[in-house]
């Protein structure tokens, strides 16, 4: 009821008018990075290390420079005078990390992972650039590499980079309560180990950057397929010593991000640097193999965990630790392991807690945030332990969870931990038992036995499981929106938010349109252009509907108020007698009316005449919506699978996602966000394996080797929204995009293990491939001398 009251009071909420982005996308008229029309652009190709770890003795580019079409070849020393530092600056610069942790713009005397760039070729065409890149000669001394983060922490392990004193970047413990006392008085103590494997983001469009210098103005314009246009603007200005007011970053249409574009990469610095140096436009577009070799990855963690509980299955304490594979460098903080550690207890009451975290370098692609950013790992471990606890206490798995969920009467609920920003973890809203009860009803948990019998008659094993999760969403500190009505009648929203295909332009357009009495298609949304929005944070952490949506709604309300006041003065009526519709301000009987376009013309000012109303010129308003606290979005997912014991094949037969995303702005888009999150989670659970051998050489660098779920593998997904609106923003909305991924692996793997009930199989890892499942089902047949399918 609370949600319904808020929805009726907020213009633009709860409707699905259709996406404003889709016409251009469906007609092939969208402008992605590779479509940016820059005439006579040169093409860049980076020369990358074939070794996971090696000393770089020298680079000979003489042969490459002599090849047809080649304009220039730059190794690191050739960038002297064009960049202010060999090293990239640290993303999230408030983190206290050593200076030797960030990657280099181009590697100089050492490479630390396969794919690290040490030179760039610029040529007339991409083909000529690639041919010349193959002719660049480099002399390497191969050094020992570290592929396993568990080996990296050992005292005698080779250093991932010779400049490091230790492979351990961070070593800390998050704790509260008296864990020892909790375990001493426990009736049940369970110990287990888990492994969560690394995967990739894999947007349909890879990374890319185009840079062009205007010699007349000195303006350097950079287009990038990024989630952080304003952070890229800051970093280029810093690294190139380019005046901020002669630098513009434009984000064209972006074909997906999923966290992989939520950082600044070396290519985004090197390409603008060489474009400025050459005085000619330069383009670089990542190919898929480069995406596997160089774009950040996530999830690799090894956990040891213990749970103490009473005989009724109520958790008394959790303790343990994990080792986090951080890759070769730190491009952007260490929030992934911290998120995993601080969110371990999920939506459950855990009186005592102690978790030791080791963040370790390896000679692999750097790790940063992929959809969920550490939370899926924690949810998987906690939910798997809840299943074990239920079995040990002799109670149903859902009942065990219900006894431990944070009850609604204790919300807002403060966990005795702080975020990495030092903010207390306060679950501001939610009803977790209600979410779980809805998921159980929707999947017909009580009627599962009959379906299991039917599967058994077909020779298949059927299992069911449920998993819960909660995540803070809407990371601040602010987002910017400027709503402007031009004298032409065009209504434009400029924002620092980023559109990456998730529908944010529609979301913002419909919020603005509802205030101004027009259709969403009448509102143009410009996202991620630093020339049009001076400040902005970008798209990440399930924040844009909350932060940018609130900013747009408040800015549009201000424009509406100004339009009403101006129209009242022009028409000679009271403002409360007027309304807005169809692009006009008018009395209810339309006897007096004035278009928004004319109001905007009057408000631009006429020389010698006063503005129609006191105040600043223009029919526009800018709002920086601020919010440091985060709104917690909960979910309860239920999954049912069939397992073929002969082949190890797993088929997800039913999937229910119950989400608390607060109030919904556009239900259709919200459903799509959940569908995408669930599919990403199914990929993590059953398919996606980014393999490396013992020398840290990548084994999966094509989609023939690295599998993603496709339509036949994706089941019908039932989405149920059960809102507990937050009071942290005027819309009452919470994040969606990442939150639908968190519980998926736990639900899928839990269902597979339930299907194998009676086979003595305990599953503590993902992804779970058919071969790995066959190994678990038939351990005696496993050849222990052969490499595992997913070691």
């Amino acid at each position: 009821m609370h949600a319904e009251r808020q929805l009726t009071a907020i213009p633009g909420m709860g409707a699905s008018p259709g996406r404003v982005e889709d016409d251009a996308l469906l007609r092939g008229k969208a402008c992605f990075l590779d479509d940016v029309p820059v005439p006579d652009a040169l093409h860049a190709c980076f020369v990358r290390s074939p070794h996971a770890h090696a000393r770089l003795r020298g680079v000979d580019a003489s042969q490459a420079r002599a090849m047809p079409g080649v304009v220039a070849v730059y190794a690191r020393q050739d960038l002297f005078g064009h960049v202010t530092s060999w090293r990239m600056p640290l993303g999230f610069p408030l983190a206290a990390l050593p200076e030797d942790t960030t990657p280099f713009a181009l590697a100089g005397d050492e490479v630390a992972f396969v794919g690290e760039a040490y030179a760039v070729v610029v040529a007339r065409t991409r083909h000529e650039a690639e041919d010349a890149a193959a002719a660049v000669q480099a002399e390497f001394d191969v050094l020992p590499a570290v592929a396993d983060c568990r080996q990296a922490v050992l005292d005698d392990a080779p250093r991932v980079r010779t400049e490091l004193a230790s492979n351990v970047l961070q070593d800390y413990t998050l704790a509260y309560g008296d864990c020892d006392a909790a375990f001493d008085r426990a009736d049940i103590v369970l110990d287990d180990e888990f492994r969560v494997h690394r995967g990739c983001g894999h947007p349909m469009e890879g990374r890319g950057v185009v840079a062009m210098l205007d010699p007349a103005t000195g303006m350097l314009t950079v287009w990038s397929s990024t989630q952080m246009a304003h952070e890229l603007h800051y970093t280029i200005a810093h690294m190139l010593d380019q005046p901020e007011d002669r630098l513009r970053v434009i984000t064209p249409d972006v074909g997906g991000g999923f966290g992989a574009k939520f950082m600044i990469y070396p290519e985004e610095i090197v390409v603008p640097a060489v474009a400025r140096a050459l005085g000619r436009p330069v383009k670089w577009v990542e190919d898929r193999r480069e995406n596997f070799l160089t774009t950040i990855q996530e999830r690799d963690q090894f956990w040891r965990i213990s749970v103490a509980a009473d005989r009724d299955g109520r958790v008394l304490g959790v303790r343990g630790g994990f080792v986090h594979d951080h890759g070769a460098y730190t491009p952007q903080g260490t929030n992934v392991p911290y998120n995993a550690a601080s969110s371990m207890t999920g939506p459950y009451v855990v009186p005592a807690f102690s978790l030791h975290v080791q963040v370790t370098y390896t000679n692999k692609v750097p790790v940063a945030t992929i959809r969920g950013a550490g939370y899926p790992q924690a949810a998987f471990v906690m939910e798997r332990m809840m299943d074990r606890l239920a079995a040990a206490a002799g109670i149903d798995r859902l009942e065990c969870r219900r006894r431990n969920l944070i009850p609604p009467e204790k919300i807002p609920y403060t966990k005795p931990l702080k975020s990495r920003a030092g903010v207390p973890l306060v679950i501001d809203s939610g009803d977790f038992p209600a979410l779980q009860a809805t998921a159980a009803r929707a999947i017909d948990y009580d009627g599962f036995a009959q379906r299991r019998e039917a599967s058994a008659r077909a020779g298949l094993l059927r299992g069911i499981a449920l998993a819960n999760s909660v995540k803070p969403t809407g990371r601040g500190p602010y987002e910017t929106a400027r709503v402007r009505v031009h004298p032409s009648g065009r209504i434009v929203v400029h924002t620092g938010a980023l559109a990456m295909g998730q529908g944010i332009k529609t979301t913002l357009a419909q919020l603005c349109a509802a205030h101004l009495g027009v259709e969403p298609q009448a509102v143009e949304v410009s996202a991620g252009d630093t020339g049009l929005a001076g400040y902005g944070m970008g798209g990440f952490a399930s924040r844009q509907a909350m932060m940018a949506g609130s900013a747009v709604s408040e800015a549009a309300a201000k424009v509406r108020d100004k339009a009403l006041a101006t129209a009242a003065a022009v028409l000679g009526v009271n403002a409360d007698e007027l309304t807005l519709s169809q692009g006009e301000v008018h009395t209810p009987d339309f006897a007096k009316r004035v278009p928004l376009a004319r109001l905007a013309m009057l408000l631009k000012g006429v020389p010698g005449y006063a503005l129609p109303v006191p105040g600043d010129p223009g029919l526009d308003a800018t709002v920086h919506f601020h919010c440091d606290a985060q709104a917690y979005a909960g979910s309860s997912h239920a999954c049912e699978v069939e397992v073929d014991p002969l082949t190890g094949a797993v088929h997800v037969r039913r999937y229910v996602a119950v989400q608390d995303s607060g109030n919904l702005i556009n239900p259709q888009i919200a459903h799509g966000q959940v569908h995408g999150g669930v599919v990403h989670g199914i990929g993590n659970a059953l398919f996606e394996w980014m393999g490396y051998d013992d020398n840290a050489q990548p084994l999966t660098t094509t989609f023939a080797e690295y599998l993603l779920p496709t339509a036949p593998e994706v089941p019908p997904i039932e989405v149920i929204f059960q809102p507990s609106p937050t009071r942290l923003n005027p819309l009452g909305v919470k994040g969606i995009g990442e939150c639908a991924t968190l519980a998926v692996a736990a639900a899928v793997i839990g269902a597979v293990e339930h299907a194998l009930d009676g086979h003595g199989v305990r599953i503590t890892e993902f992804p779970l491939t058919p071969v790995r499942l066959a190994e678990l089902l038939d351990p005696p047949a496993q050849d222990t001398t052969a490499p595992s399918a997913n070691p």
Side-chain angles (χ1 to χ4, degrees), residues 495-719:
T495 177
L498 255 298
M500 299 169 285
Q502 73 279 61
I504 191 65
K505 287 189 175 180
T506 298
T507 300
L508 301 183
Q510 76 179 82
L511 289 170
C512 177
H515 282 282
L516 301 183
V518 298
E519 295 298 319
Q521 286 73 15
V523 179
E524 302 171 29
V525 178
S526 167
D529 186 334
T530 64
L532 299 175
Y535 293 92
M537 299 300 293
F540 57 93
S542 301
R543 66 183 299 274
Q544 302 207 97
M546 291 176 56
M547 304 299 290
S550 298
V552 167
S553 184
E554 292 189 351
K558 289 185 176 183
V559 170
R560 175 190 174 91
D561 291 345
K562 192 169 185 178
L564 289 171
T566 307
V570 171
L571 299 174
V573 298
N574 293 325
D576 58 8
E577 299 177 40
L578 298 171
T579 190
L580 285 83
S581 69
Q582 301 177 24
E584 294 182 328
V585 185
H586 56 83
T587 55
D589 60 359
F590 286 89
K592 294 187 176 182
R593 55 206 290 182
V594 58
L596 286 172
R598 179 163 178 77
L599 297 176
M601 186 277 290
L602 294 172
L603 285 169
K604 76 176 179 59
V606 177
Y609 294 85
L611 292 171
V613 291
D616 293 331
L619 187 51
D620 72 332
T622 298
V623 168
H624 307 285
F625 178 76
H626 297 259
C627 186
D628 293 325
Q630 292 185 274
Y632 277 71
S635 71
S636 187
H637 287 200
C639 176
E640 204 165 299
V641 303
E642 280 185 329
V643 178
D644 185 334
L646 297 179
T647 65
V650 175
H651 301 283
V652 180
R653 295 304 187 196
R654 306 182 68 206
Y655 202 95
V656 174
V658 182
Q659 300 286 142
D660 170 15
S661 304
N663 291 333
L664 300 182
I665 300 172
N666 185 312
Q668 182 185 47
I669 289 176
H671 274 78
Q673 290 268 305
V674 175
H675 277 244
V678 171
V679 173
H680 195 150
I682 290 174
N684 287 164
L686 298 175
F687 298 96
E688 298 182 52
W689 181 63
M690 185 61 219
Y692 289 83
D693 69 11
D694 291 342
N695 293 315
Q697 282 284 339
L699 302 175
T700 52
T701 58
T702 73
F703 283 136
E705 300 150 339
Y706 183 101
L707 302 183
L708 291 171
T710 56
E713 290 82 47
V714 176
I717 300 168
E718 182 179 354
V719 180

